[in-house]
């Protein structure tokens, strides 16, 4: 299956139609993962590491921490890219064996088992990263289809 097919199947699997709000997408991702999604800006993420966002998993929630950007669209892309990884199931194949190899300099207060996914992704040219970015682009286009409606999406992303 190529990336375009993978993205099309993932979009159809959300059952959200051609246009949806950020809240509807968040609800679909939470139902998919059967846990809460928490999104928060942490400006320090991008200051020294060059990371745009970090995706962490715990037993009861998934946490997306993103860098600050002056651009609302750029911030939106950070979050949608991490949503795309979740939707595409990229978080389901990580190995606990990585935990011991991940340095704790970036997020020293977060247990190693929660940092596996966040720091295992260093190469942005892999098929997983390209598929996630492609799906994030599709999600953004569908959200913008209703972005002018009065929703909290505009409050979050400007």
């Amino acid at each position: 299956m190529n990336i375009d097919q993978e993205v099309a199947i993932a979009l159809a699997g959300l059952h959200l139609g051609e246009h949806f709000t950020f809240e509807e997408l968040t609800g679909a991702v939470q139902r998919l993962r059967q846990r809460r999604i928490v999104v928060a800006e942490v400006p320090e993420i991008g200051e020294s590491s060059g990371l745009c966002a970090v995706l962490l998993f715990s037993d009861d929630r998934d946490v997306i921490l993103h860098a600050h950007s002056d651009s609302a669209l750029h911030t939106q892309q950070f979050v949608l890219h991490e949503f795309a990884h979740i939707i595409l199931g990229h978080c389901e194949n990580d190995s606990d064996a990585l935990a011991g190899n991940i340095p704790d300099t970036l997020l020293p207060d977060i247990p190693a088992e929660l940092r596996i996914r966040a720091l295992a992704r260093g190469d942005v040219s892999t098929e997983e990263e390209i598929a996630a970015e492609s799906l994030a682009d599709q999600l953004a286009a569908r959200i913008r289809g209703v972005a002018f409606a009065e929703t909290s999406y505009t409050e979050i992303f400007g």
Side-chain angles (χ1 to χ4, degrees):
M1 178 175 4
N2 68 38
I3 289 173
D4 291 338
Q5 291 171 322
E6 182 182 12
V7 168
I9 290 169
L11 274 171
L14 293 173
H15 305 288
L16 292 174
E18 289 298 314
H19 301 286
F20 43 81
T21 65
F22 180 78
E23 291 79 14
E24 291 169 330
L25 174 62
T26 301
V29 175
Q30 289 179 139
R31 284 189 298 279
L32 180 70
R33 290 285 293 165
Q34 298 181 344
R35 63 182 76 185
R36 194 164 57 106
I37 304 284
V38 177
V39 177
E41 180 179 301
V42 179
E44 294 82 7
I45 287 176
E47 290 178 358
S48 62
S49 62
L51 286 175
C52 298
V54 177
L55 177 57
L56 305 168
F57 304 105
S58 69
D59 290 336
D60 65 342
R61 74 189 83 167
D62 294 336
V63 179
I64 297 171
L65 306 175
H66 64 83
H68 171 77
S69 174
D70 291 335
S71 164
L73 289 177
H74 198 202
T75 301
Q76 171 192 288
Q77 195 71 12
F78 296 161
V79 175
L80 294 178
H81 183 92
E82 299 309 320
F83 274 8
H85 278 298
I86 293 170
I87 294 165
L88 292 167
H90 294 164
C91 52
E92 296 167 5
N93 296 322
D94 291 326
S95 168
D96 288 340
L98 292 172
N101 299 323
I102 296 174
D104 62 354
T105 54
L106 179 61
L107 303 168
D109 298 331
I110 298 176
E113 62 271 15
L114 298 180
R115 288 184 272 124
I116 292 171
R117 180 65 193 167
L119 299 178
R121 204 170 352 108
D123 185 354
V124 295
S125 64
T126 66
E127 283 194 23
E128 276 192 359
E129 291 302 317
I130 293 168
E133 195 64 19
S134 178
L135 179 54
D137 290 345
Q138 294 286 325
L139 296 170
R142 291 174 185 227
I143 288 171
R144 282 188 209 110
V146 293
F148 294 108
E150 290 297 321
T151 69
S152 63
Y153 171 82
T154 55
E155 294 171 10
I156 295 170
F157 293 117

